[in-house]
Amino acid sequence: MDIMLFHSVYGLRPAVHAAAERLRAAGHQVHVPDLFEGQTAETVEEGMAIKDGIGRDELLRRAVLAAAPHSENGLVYAGFSFGGSVAQNLALGDEKARGLLLLHGTSDIADDAAVRELPVQLHVAEPDPFESDDWLNAWYLRMGRIGADVEVYRYPGAGHLYTDPDLPDYDAEAAAQTWKVAAGFLATL
């Protein structure tokens, strides 16, 4: 499977490269674009400042340019938190998308969005400060209405970016379960 993996607001850090290597070891081809062009953050606030400084339109432009050379045969879009929102936007706009793997984050859904049975898997903390229960319920229903086939996995007590071993949110048990379930999902695409 060809996977386009987008980083969080922390930027392209070791945990993203480690995730890409994990996926490559499972036989996937993984592309890891650097939407922040070398900038990384130590805190969420720093990361949000980088993201906001670049701007949403420019970040989406960079993501589209990164994905375009690989999208002809169908990509699985994946991302961490903010990167999940980028992945979701691209997957919903790419008629050849093979799947969408969201780790820790979702995005708004355009009014004209429509997909044809797009497999989607979301892994998120419970509770999550960036993905409230009300938001996730509405997101889930909306994704179903636009034609996505959605699975949601919640991890009680885990921090927001619980798969990143370099952050305080890290939860080894939740991360191991996430990667196990995600591997099964990717194997079906």
Side-chain angles (χ1 to χ4, degrees):
M1 190 57 49
D2 218 359
I3 301 170
M4 184 65 53
L5 180 63
F6 295 103
H7 60 76
S8 74
V9 294
Y10 284 93
L12 189 52
R13 299 174 58 241
V16 181
H17 289 296
E21 287 307 314
R22 174 189 294 271
L23 296 169
R24 287 181 187 116
H28 304 291
Q29 183 172 358
V30 184
H31 311 280
V32 187
D34 185 353
L35 301 181
F36 289 180
E37 297 180 339
Q39 296 181 82
T40 59
E42 294 297 319
T43 66
V44 170
E45 295 78 18
E46 286 177 21
M48 295 297 276
I50 294 169
K51 177 182 76 75
D52 294 344
I54 296 169
R56 181 182 188 278
D57 290 344
E58 175 61 17
L59 289 165
L60 286 174
R61 185 189 74 77
R62 291 176 184 181
V64 168
L65 288 174
H70 310 286
S71 64
E72 184 60 32
N73 295 322
L75 285 169
V76 172
Y77 292 92
F80 296 96
S81 190
F82 152 75
S85 69
V86 172
Q88 179 183 307
N89 279 283
L90 269 60
L92 297 185
D94 181 352
E95 64 186 30
K96 293 183 180 182
R98 306 262 316 261
L100 175 60
L101 176 60
L102 300 171
L103 303 162
H104 323 293
T106 62
S107 182
D108 292 333
I109 302 166
D111 290 338
D112 61 348
V115 294
R116 190 177 169 124
E117 298 178 5
L118 179 71
V120 177
Q121 192 173 85
L122 168 65
H123 297 268
V124 65
E126 181 178 30
D128 189 299
F130 299 101
E131 303 285 328
S132 72
D133 288 345
D134 288 345
W135 167 262
L136 287 173
N137 289 335
W139 175 87
Y140 177 83
L141 293 171
R142 182 82 195 267
M143 288 293 280
R145 281 197 296 272
I146 69 165
D149 181 14
V150 180
E151 299 175 344
V152 177
Y153 294 87
R154 305 291 304 266
Y155 299 87
H160 175 66
L161 276 168
Y162 64 83
T163 58
D164 188 330
D166 295 327
L167 295 176
D169 288 348
Y170 182 62
D171 183 314
E173 186 176 322
Q177 183 64 22
T178 294
W179 289 119
K180 179 181 176 186
V181 173
F185 171 71
L186 293 170
T188 67
L189 303 178

